[in-house]
């Protein structure tokens, strides 16, 4: 999603906190990226955006943890796209720093609804998962493990703006955007899901 900007640099909205108080927006500035938080104005908050982090490399897909205290994102600061976690700037009483979650490359992190897992895409187009713990204001993650390979062609979506998959609340089902046979409009069926909100709590 492209967020309106007053300048020439594109802005992409990548995450929305569960309480609706903040949006994450990534601003691309040449070879560097800035991740901003945009308060919604709820709860007496100022509406002025504030800089969460500046990264001297490619970065994006910032996502809030379910409790709003942590953020996951990917960046290329190590020379390869990896998934990291760190405290969200608006949260307090958390250990400062950042923690690498992926081990062999990763992008597009998603949180499980209870905050106990992080999912991400590997360079091979595999959805991977890592168990995480945030008790006591500390962040820990176990070694990630592979879950399943995306349908053929989806590995090409290994990109900052890839929103081609998401997880159910319990982390047991995944919704994946898959190209149809031949990748033509006539061969890709359109499926409409009704009452989808009821699935979020399962």
């Amino acid at each position: 999603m492209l967020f309106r900007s007053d300048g020439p640099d594109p802005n992409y909205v990548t995450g929305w906190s569960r309480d609706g108080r903040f949006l994450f927006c990534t601003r691309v500035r040449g070879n560097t990226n800035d991740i901003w938080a945009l308060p919604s104005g709820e709860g007496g908050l100022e509406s002025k955006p504030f800089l969460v982090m500046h990264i001297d490399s490619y970065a994006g897909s910032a996502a809030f943890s379910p409790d709003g205290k942590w953020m996951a994102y990917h960046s290329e600061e190590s020379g390869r796209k990896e998934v990291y976690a760190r405290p969200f700037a608006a949260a307090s009483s958390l250990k400062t720093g950042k923690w690498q979650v992926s081990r062999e490359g990763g992008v597009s992190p998603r949180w499980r609804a209870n905050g106990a897992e992080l999912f991400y895409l590997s360079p091979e187009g595999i959805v991977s998962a890592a168990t995480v713990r945030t008790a006591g204001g500390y962040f820990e993650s176990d070694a990630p493990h592979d879950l399943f390979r995306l349908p053929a062609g989806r590995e090409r979506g290994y990109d900052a703006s890839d929103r081609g998959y998401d997880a159910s609340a319990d982390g047991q089902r995944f919704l994946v955007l898959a190209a149809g046979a031949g990748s033509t409009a006539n061969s890709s069926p359109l499926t409409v899901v009704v009452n989808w909100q009821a699935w979020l709590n399962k």
Side-chain angles (χ1 to χ4, degrees):
M1 181 185 299
L2 186 65
F3 191 84
R4 184 176 179 179
S5 172
D6 295 330
D9 302 309
N11 293 266
Y12 298 92
V13 175
T14 64
W16 196 334
S17 63
R18 181 174 289 185
D19 60 10
R21 298 172 66 197
F22 295 98
L23 288 171
F24 272 142
C25 176
T26 299
R27 172 171 290 183
V28 179
R29 293 180 179 273
N31 294 325
T32 68
N33 286 178
D34 294 335
I35 296 178
W36 291 76
L38 303 146
S40 66
E42 299 292 334
L45 293 171
E46 294 291 337
S47 298
K48 185 177 179 180
F50 59 90
L51 181 66
V52 176
M53 58 188 301
H54 169 81
I55 302 176
D56 290 320
S57 67
Y58 167 96
S61 294
F64 289 95
S65 63
D67 63 7
K69 296 181 179 180
W70 301 87
M71 60 181 287
Y73 63 98
H74 68 247
S75 84
E76 206 170 28
E77 57 197 271
S78 68
R80 177 174 62 187
K81 298 171 188 174
E82 298 283 4
V83 172
Y84 299 88
R86 58 175 287 172
F88 175 47
S92 60
S93 303
L94 300 179
K95 180 177 174 62
T96 59
K98 67 177 180 180
W99 294 265
Q100 184 174 327
V101 177
S102 60
R103 298 294 188 270
E104 301 295 332
V107 297
S108 301
R110 307 282 191 275
W111 293 85
R112 185 170 170 172
N114 63 2
E117 278 187 298
L118 266 172
F119 307 107
Y120 65 88
L121 300 181
S122 77
E124 294 77 27
I126 296 173
V127 176
S128 301
T131 299
V132 302
R133 292 170 294 278
T134 58
Y138 287 81
F139 184 92
E140 294 180 327
S141 65
D142 293 344
H145 57 279
D146 296 341
L147 296 180
F148 62 92
R149 185 178 297 275
L150 293 178
R154 285 301 301 150
E155 66 274 4
R156 293 195 298 272
Y158 188 71
D159 182 77
S161 59
D162 188 346
R163 300 293 296 180
Y165 84 103
D166 213 338
S168 63
D170 61 5
Q172 302 303 303
R173 292 177 296 241
F174 290 81
L175 186 66
V176 177
L177 178 64
S183 298
T184 64
N186 292 333
S187 63
S188 300
L190 175 65
T191 302
V192 178
V193 179
V194 297
N195 196 29
W196 57 268
Q197 297 95 332
W199 289 78
L200 298 179
N201 297 321
K202 290 186 177 182

